[in-house]
Amino acid sequence: MNAYVVSLSKYVNTGLLVCFTLLAYAGFAVRGNLARRVIEIVQRLILAAFLVNANFAIAWIVKGSAGRKLLLLCAMEILFLLSFMVLYRIVHEMANMLLFNNICMLLSIGFVMISRIAFYGDSGSTGYRSNEPIKQFVMASAGLMIMLIIPLFRRFFDAMRHLGIIFGIAGIIALDAVLLLSSETNGAMITYTLARFTFQPSEFVKILYILMLAGLLSAEVTFERGILATILAAVHVGILVLSTDLGSALIFFAVYLMMLFMASGRWSVLAGGAGLGAVSAIVLYTQFQHVQDRVLIWKDPFSDIDGRGFQIAQSLFAISYGGPWGAGLTQGMPTKIPYVESDFIFAAITEEMGLVFGICLLLLCVNCFLRILALSASYSNRFFQLFTYGAAVCYIFQTFLTVGGETKFIPLTGVTLPLVSYGGSSILSTLIMFGMIEMIFILHEERTAHFMERYEMEHAGEGFPEEESGVPPGDFPEEGLMHAGRQDVIVTDPSSHGFTEEGLVPAGSLGEDSGTGNYKDYYKGFSSDEVPDGFPVNGISEEGIFEDT
């Protein structure tokens, strides 16, 4: 009977995640708010079904008091996540809920696998460590509550553009404290303990670091500003290298390089940064023994399978053992991999849930990245744009480092899989970063809606000539000029200003690929003399709202 339960469960789990992932990508194509709301609701039901099915399968095998404790934890997870999704929609009506649903699904996958490892251990074992999944749930709940609160302070976010240097200094001080006060953990000085709580400050400094770069680079990128940003970034990376936290140092460098490239638009920056990174990698290889060990392990982990190559060899065995559909929950041996909950969670997931499930998990991570990238492209406010872009790069690059290391695509770096791996600092910092992304989106949507309301009131009856534009005077397309409820907009040419040869196209307005309608068709053929009085010609200003006229 156990075999039937486990076998059925793994196919149901995979089917549910496939459906969730398909709906996540379908969200890019839908136009109306009703269709988007239907997708949101269906995704919530899928999330609840996944948690029930997966935890029931584990509890069926575990049985006893441990099984009952697991089912109680599962009920708490479902109740909290579903109620919190509804609460987030009520409190923040303009929130990007499809992105929020992705976050909750990734958290749920982590809950299930951490519970499986903690409550059951290896196949044939009955020992469990129930405190780990409870800690993960508590930290995730705290992070989601912070994510709910952050947008309430959105009106103060614009002022942060002027605090770039302060954010940089605060980040450097926090990293210095770790370097001076922390004890060594697995060869690196990355954590310190305060009131019995262990923190990894580099996870939170990432947010300050992105704010610093966004603030410094949001104005005109002069040579002096570029040098200042480079010096501050180099100090951050240098401290992380001295702490031997090379995984975080690599993430910080990649974020700096991509944000500077985004701000300057110069390919020479990207090429020069790539060259500098290659030289730095060679220098670090010669200076750090554990870097040499990781490169040797990456080249041939089986040459020392019982020693230095044990961890990556076990990861590869786990991934291959699972096959397309997985061995089934509780039927693998994930705890044979050292630090499996934090550094090798993807290998554990693919072993028991299968490669198809693992691929869908990666596609869900890519979906989050594409959504954030699309939001960044839709903002004319440079500070909004750069912070969102930096957060997207930080998230996807960390995902790449984690999965690439576990699959022997790149050498191991020892970083966590965001939202999925065990770790309070990682969960909290990632949710705070996503909360700030949601805050920016809500703020932008509110400002756009405010302008549309004001513009329609001031210019009612003064619209474009019906016989030339095809739009009755005073009316706008069905979804609105900017459609304040849009969640998946992409600007094809955010640098355009004023009028084009085809008519009025304000900077930051929606282009042909926005999915909200091609507004060039409405204004095609108009000259500046035919534009209604008071219509802005410079688009959205750096303050994120159309200029008053």
Side-chain angles (χ1 to χ4, degrees):
M1 186 64 180
N2 289 352
Y4 288 112
V5 171
V6 170
S7 180
L8 178 62
S9 172
K10 68 180 182 181
Y11 292 117
V12 173
N13 286 335
T14 301
L16 290 172
L17 188 61
V18 168
C19 292
F20 190 97
T21 306
L22 290 175
L23 288 173
Y25 280 91
F28 285 120
V30 297
R31 297 292 178 264
N33 286 331
L34 178 60
R36 190 173 294 107
R37 290 291 180 89
V38 170
I39 291 178
E40 291 174 19
I41 294 172
V42 174
Q43 283 186 325
R44 291 172 194 167
L45 296 176
I46 292 174
L47 183 147
F50 168 75
L51 284 173
V52 169
N53 178 72
N55 283 289
F56 176 80
I58 301 172
W60 181 272
I61 301 297
V62 175
K63 296 183 171 59
S65 61
R68 291 191 293 271
K69 188 177 294 186
L70 177 61
L71 290 178
L72 178 61
L73 179 61
C74 171
M76 293 172 59
E77 291 168 354
I78 294 173
L79 181 63
F80 178 80
L81 287 177
L82 292 184
S83 60
F84 198 85
M85 287 178 175
V86 175
L87 177 64
Y88 203 86
R89 163 62 77 183
I90 294 173
V91 175
H92 305 299
E93 295 182 3
M94 294 185 176
N96 192 322
M97 291 304 298
L98 294 180
L99 176 61
F100 188 79
N101 286 356
N102 287 351
I103 293 170
C104 291
M105 188 65 192
L106 291 171
L107 287 173
S108 299
I109 294 171
F111 289 161
V112 168
M113 185 49 59
I114 292 169
S115 295
R116 176 263 178 269
I117 294 170
F119 278 93
Y120 191 70
D122 289 333
S123 178
S125 170
T126 57
Y128 63 92
R129 307 182 304 277
S130 60
N131 60 320
E132 289 184 359
I134 294 174
K135 285 182 179 179
Q136 185 79 348
F137 174 66
V138 170
M139 296 306 290
S141 301
L144 289 173
M145 291 300 298
I146 295 173
M147 193 174 174
L148 176 70
I149 295 171
I150 285 175
L152 300 179
F153 299 93
R154 56 189 176 273
R155 299 191 183 278
F156 303 100
F157 187 71
D158 268 323
M160 291 185 180
R161 74 168 69 237
H162 307 296
L163 304 177
I165 296 178
I166 295 177
F167 288 130
I169 294 173
I172 291 171
I173 292 174
L175 294 179
D176 275 332
V178 179
L179 180 62
L180 297 174
L181 303 177
S182 69
S183 57
E184 188 172 295
T185 303
N186 301 323
M189 292 178 287
I190 58 177
T191 63
Y192 61 76
T193 302
L194 181 65
R196 297 184 179 181
F197 289 96
T198 300
F199 297 91
Q200 186 173 343
S202 62
E203 292 286 348
F204 299 97
V205 173
K206 284 189 294 190
I207 302 171
L208 297 175
Y209 183 75
I210 297 171
L211 284 170
M212 175 197 77
L213 291 174
L216 292 175
L217 302 175
S218 59
E220 181 182 359
V221 185
T222 61
F223 178 78
E224 292 77 12
R225 278 184 171 269
I227 291 296
L228 178 59
T230 301
I231 292 174
L232 290 173
V235 173
H236 281 79
V237 174
I239 296 173
L240 290 169
V241 170
L242 292 176
S243 303
T244 62
D245 187 4
L246 301 184
S248 295
L250 187 56
I251 294 172
F252 276 55
F253 177 75
V255 170
Y256 154 75
L257 183 60
M258 296 306 298
M259 289 185 70
L260 183 60
F261 169 68
M262 174 73 173
S264 65
R266 297 175 181 175
W267 287 97
S268 58
V269 170
L270 200 59
L276 178 61
V279 173
S280 300
I282 295 173
V283 172
L284 292 176
Y285 177 81
T286 61
Q287 297 298 316
F288 292 97
Q289 181 61 45
H290 73 279
V291 175
Q292 299 175 22
D293 292 340
R294 289 185 176 184
V295 172
L296 291 174
I297 293 168
W298 169 63
K299 292 171 64 177
D300 186 9
F302 302 105
S303 62
D304 189 13
I305 193 171
D306 293 324
R308 294 175 299 182
F310 181 80
Q311 195 176 33
I312 184 62
Q314 291 298 322
S315 174
L316 295 174
F317 288 148
I319 294 172
S320 62
Y321 179 71
W325 310 108
L329 286 167
T330 72
Q331 301 306 296
M333 295 182 289
T335 54
K336 292 293 184 183
I337 309 172
Y339 305 105
V340 64
E341 304 98 323
S342 55
D343 296 352
F344 283 83
I345 194 74
F346 181 76
I349 290 171
T350 53
E351 179 182 16
E352 296 200 338
M353 299 189 187
L355 288 172
V356 175
F357 190 98
I359 291 172
C360 288
L361 170 60
L362 295 181
L363 289 175
L364 208 55
C365 294
V366 173
N367 187 272
C368 290
F369 170 68
L370 294 177
R371 287 192 178 280
I372 301 171
L373 210 60
L375 295 180
S376 175
S378 70
Y379 302 143
S380 290
N381 184 309
R382 291 287 288 170
F383 184 56
F384 291 7
Q385 185 182 65
L386 285 170
F387 178 86
T388 310
Y389 179 77
V393 172
C394 181
Y395 171 76
I396 200 65
F397 191 69
Q398 183 169 339
T399 302
F400 167 75
L401 290 181
T402 306
V403 178
E406 294 181 46
T407 57
K408 202 177 119 8
F409 185 76
I410 59 174
L412 289 172
T413 55
V415 297
T416 57
L417 183 60
L419 301 175
V420 181
S421 294
Y422 175 75
S425 297
S426 176
I427 287 284
L428 277 178
S429 63
T430 304
L431 288 175
I432 290 172
M433 188 167 63
F434 274 103
M436 296 181 72
I437 292 170
E438 287 279 12
M439 173 181 65
I440 294 171
F441 176 77
I442 294 169
L443 181 58
H444 177 79
E445 293 294 286
E446 284 181 344
R447 288 175 171 177
T448 303
H450 172 72
F451 166 76
M452 285 307 306
E453 180 181 358
R454 187 187 69 184
Y455 183 81
E456 291 181 0
M457 290 178 61
E458 292 179 357
H459 299 275
E462 300 178 11
F464 303 106
E466 181 177 2
E467 62 275 9
E468 294 188 47
S469 65
V471 181
D475 287 349
F476 292 94
E478 181 178 353
E479 294 189 13
L481 182 61
M482 290 288 290
H483 188 33
R486 286 291 294 141
Q487 297 188 15
D488 308 302
V489 293
I490 301 176
V491 173
T492 55
D493 184 14
S495 64
S496 61
H497 293 280
F499 303 102
T500 68
E501 293 180 358
E502 295 184 338
L504 179 64
V505 185
S509 61
L510 305 181
E512 295 181 4
D513 299 326
S514 67
T516 314
N518 183 1
Y519 293 103
K520 290 182 180 179
D521 292 340
Y522 290 107
Y523 312 132
K524 189 174 182 179
F526 282 81
S527 66
S528 59
D529 295 335
E530 296 172 307
V531 178
D533 293 336
F535 199 95
V537 297
N538 292 320
I540 298 179
S541 71
E542 286 195 354
E543 298 304 319
I545 190 169
F546 283 87
E547 298 279 14
D548 291 330
T549 56

